[in-house]
Amino acid sequence: MQTASFIAEKLTGRGTSETTADVSNPGNDAAQFGDGGEKMLALVWKAKGQVEMVETAKPKVIDPRDVVLKVTGSTICGSDLHLLHGAIMQLQSGDILGHEFCGVVESAGPEAKARGVKEGQRVVASFQIACGACTYCKEGLSSMCEKTNPSGLTRAMWGKQTAGFFGYSHLTGGYAGGQAEYVRVPFGDVNLLPLPDDVPDEKGLYLSDVLCTSYNAVVDTGVEEGHNVAIWGAGPIGLIAAHFALKQKKAARVILIDAVQWRLDWAQHKVQGLDVLNYKELPKGETVTKKLHELVPGGWDICIDVAGGEYAKGWAHYLELGLGAETDTSEIINEMITSTRHFGRCGITAAYSGFTNHFNVGALMERGIRLIGNGQAPVHRYWKELLAQIQDGTLDPTMMLSHRIRLEDTAKAYYKFDERDEKSRMLKVFIETKHSFPKAEKTPILSRV
């Protein structure tokens, strides 16, 4: 798929960006993009099913609004597993991964400094790269920035490209990620949020993606007081989305659906009043839709997918995914449509990259279901609001934090995270580097993978 996707883009043509894109590893051209021969440790994608730690060139300021961070905290996202599995197009061997990170400003370009970026600042980065000046950026829709992603393939498949992302393939601009000791941040005056002293990295880090993505899933799909809400996927985003829906939006009932019992137990312990459903424990012949209709006759007001389209349940989708006849399975989307009440709403926050088969378009139309693509969450719209919630205690991101690991162990942690095994119970990690601050109180101790 990787080779085919690059061939396809040769036909569509690569576009342009207002910042230097396609520097997915400064070591690929250290003379041009490296910082004077200095080295750093980073995690790179090698091939389908393979990531590894490497020594490579440290990045430098390239464009006038660039910032180089000393990374003090990073993490692994569930969507990083799509990269591990090779489910996202346009990955190249040696790409540095990681789109969630925080750090300290080491250096900044002259225009970034003129716009207020200061060396030594503690900051968290947005996972998307926004210019701050285009139509979508002005509307707060930073994930749809028109100026940072030169991908021609996304324009051909989706009608228009979205913003560039850190560490997430050349489909999103080919930018090096933050699972590294240093990272270059384009438009640093826009894509970095200063962290106050009362917010440690173990909380502030997660403003980069997971908190904003969970919040957007709930807000954009329209959860309101009194609603019955079903959420597919009990990873960190499902957990935090359930918290927002039940505790902040005052939903009447929220149920979390997954196949891993310890993740459901974790969520139920952290979010009081939450219902859970392990679909693998359903009796033979009983479906998720049937069970949900038993629990809420007539259907649920809101259904949200935070699981994803690469995980097939049935043999048909398993074969079609394997043969390349589709890029995503429609099974969860179909379950949502048939589980929602007439004229209810379904939101898709999980990552889907291309095309699917067997989509139940008839049920969607005939029952008046509103199917909402939530998009990649516009971090800049939400992160100040959520930072304030962290500061006043309304939101505690550590509810999902299970492990603290060393950067050197990140490759092994990918495989452990992918296993979702009962013994390790790895839900969300904090990755420390040589630049990290001492551990915050009431957070996991450092462990080896």
Side-chain angles (χ1 to χ4, degrees):
M1 181 172 73
Q2 304 305 331
T3 301
S5 65
F6 282 107
I7 292 173
E9 186 158 67
K10 286 184 178 180
L11 299 175
T12 62
R14 192 80 169 161
T16 60
S17 169
E18 289 195 0
T19 188
T20 303
D22 292 312
V23 186
S24 59
N25 186 330
N28 293 339
D29 188 349
Q32 184 176 2
F33 302 122
D35 189 7
E38 290 192 54
K39 299 291 185 180
M40 70 171 183
L41 190 65
L43 178 125
V44 300
W45 187 85
K46 294 296 290 183
K48 182 177 180 178
Q50 183 184 357
V51 293
E52 67 179 44
M53 302 304 303
V54 301
E55 185 180 72
T56 189
K58 174 188 169 185
K60 69 176 182 181
V61 168
I62 301 171
D63 299 320
R65 290 172 67 183
D66 282 355
V67 170
V68 172
L69 291 188
K70 294 189 291 187
V71 177
T72 58
S74 186
T75 188
I76 303 172
C77 179
S79 60
D80 287 326
L81 297 181
H82 301 320
L83 302 177
L84 176 65
H85 302 153
I88 300 298
M89 291 173 274
Q90 292 201 308
L91 283 159
Q92 290 182 331
S93 183
D95 287 352
I96 298 175
L97 305 186
H99 57 273
E100 298 178 83
F101 54 91
C102 60
V104 172
V105 175
E106 183 190 62
S107 59
E111 289 189 24
K113 288 181 179 179
R115 293 166 184 257
V117 177
K118 298 177 182 178
E119 293 177 1
Q121 275 185 314
R122 285 182 61 235
V123 292
V124 60
S126 162
F127 78 89
Q128 61 227 210
I129 301 166
C131 73
C134 72
T135 300
Y136 290 101
C137 285
K138 288 178 179 178
E139 293 176 359
L141 300 175
S142 49
S143 58
M144 302 300 165
C145 177
E146 300 175 298
K147 304 296 185 180
T148 59
N149 184 6
S151 173
L153 188 59
T154 56
R155 289 197 308 274
M157 291 197 307
W158 305 339
K160 193 171 177 63
Q161 79 271 31
T162 56
F165 300 159
F166 290 102
Y168 215 76
S169 87
H170 295 260
L171 194 71
T172 62
Y175 295 94
Q179 289 166 355
E181 291 175 330
Y182 298 88
V183 62
R184 167 186 165 248
V185 180
F187 295 114
D189 56 288
V190 174
N191 297 304
L192 297 172
L193 178 70
L195 289 175
D197 292 341
D198 60 347
V199 176
D201 284 356
E202 290 89 342
K203 294 183 179 181
L205 162 64
Y206 303 106
L207 290 164
S208 58
D209 178 0
V210 57
L211 299 179
C212 297
T213 295
S214 304
Y215 197 54
N216 184 65
V218 170
V219 171
D220 192 58
T221 313
V223 175
E224 298 175 0
E225 185 174 353
H227 276 165
N228 294 309
V229 182
I231 300 172
W232 276 252
I237 291 175
L239 168 63
I240 302 296
H243 162 80
F244 284 133
L246 198 58
K247 301 305 180 182
Q248 294 196 19
K249 297 300 180 181
K250 307 300 181 184
R253 188 173 192 178
V254 177
I255 191 167
L256 205 53
I257 303 157
D258 203 278
V260 182
Q261 189 59 46
W262 71 261
R263 301 207 312 176
L264 293 169
D265 293 341
W266 182 299
Q268 217 166 17
H269 175 69
K270 296 294 183 180
V271 182
Q272 299 301 309
L274 177 68
D275 292 328
V276 297
L277 173 62
N278 186 334
Y279 66 81
K280 280 198 172 180
E281 300 299 322
L282 290 173
K284 187 176 182 180
E286 187 165 358
T287 65
V288 170
T289 293
K290 181 180 177 183
K291 183 64 177 178
L292 290 176
H293 277 286
E294 289 176 1
L295 295 171
V296 177
W300 294 65
D301 299 293
I302 301 283
C303 289
I304 303 174
D305 175 11
V306 299
E310 78 159 287
Y311 304 108
K313 292 182 178 182
W315 63 267
H317 283 285
Y318 181 82
L319 288 174
E320 289 168 359
L321 286 169
L323 293 171
E326 63 178 2
T327 60
D328 305 278
T329 170
S330 59
E331 288 160 295
I332 290 177
I333 298 174
N334 288 340
E335 285 179 352
M336 290 199 301
I337 290 170
T338 53
S339 301
T340 305
R341 67 170 177 84
H342 297 322
F343 293 102
R345 294 192 291 274
C346 297
I348 304 175
T349 285
Y352 288 77
S353 64
F355 304 94
T356 188
N357 300 323
H358 315 294
F359 173 62
N360 195 347
V361 65
L364 180 78
M365 180 271 156
E366 295 292 350
R367 298 186 54 236
I369 306 298
R370 272 62 174 158
L371 183 61
I372 302 165
N374 301 124
Q376 299 288 348
V379 170
H380 300 65
R381 169 168 283 191
Y382 301 122
W383 60 356
K384 290 182 181 179
E385 176 185 353
L386 296 177
L387 175 60
Q389 290 186 22
I390 294 172
Q391 289 182 287
D392 67 19
T394 304
L395 174 62
D396 182 6
T398 64
M399 73 170 74
M400 62 183 165
L401 188 54
S402 61
H403 291 73
R404 184 187 187 96
I405 66 169
R406 297 168 57 204
L407 177 64
E408 290 84 346
D409 290 334
T410 304
K412 290 184 284 186
Y414 261 76
Y415 304 124
K416 183 63 66 177
F417 184 42
D418 194 26
E419 291 171 0
R420 304 176 184 177
D421 68 285
E422 170 78 24
K423 184 177 179 181
S424 66
R425 293 194 171 206
M426 184 174 283
L427 187 69
K428 193 69 171 177
V429 302
F430 180 90
I431 301 172
E432 71 169 37
T433 75
K434 66 181 183 181
H435 306 301
S436 294
F437 299 101
K439 182 185 82 70
E441 293 182 1
K442 300 181 180 179
T443 62
I445 62 172
L446 181 67
S447 59
R448 298 305 301 267
V449 180

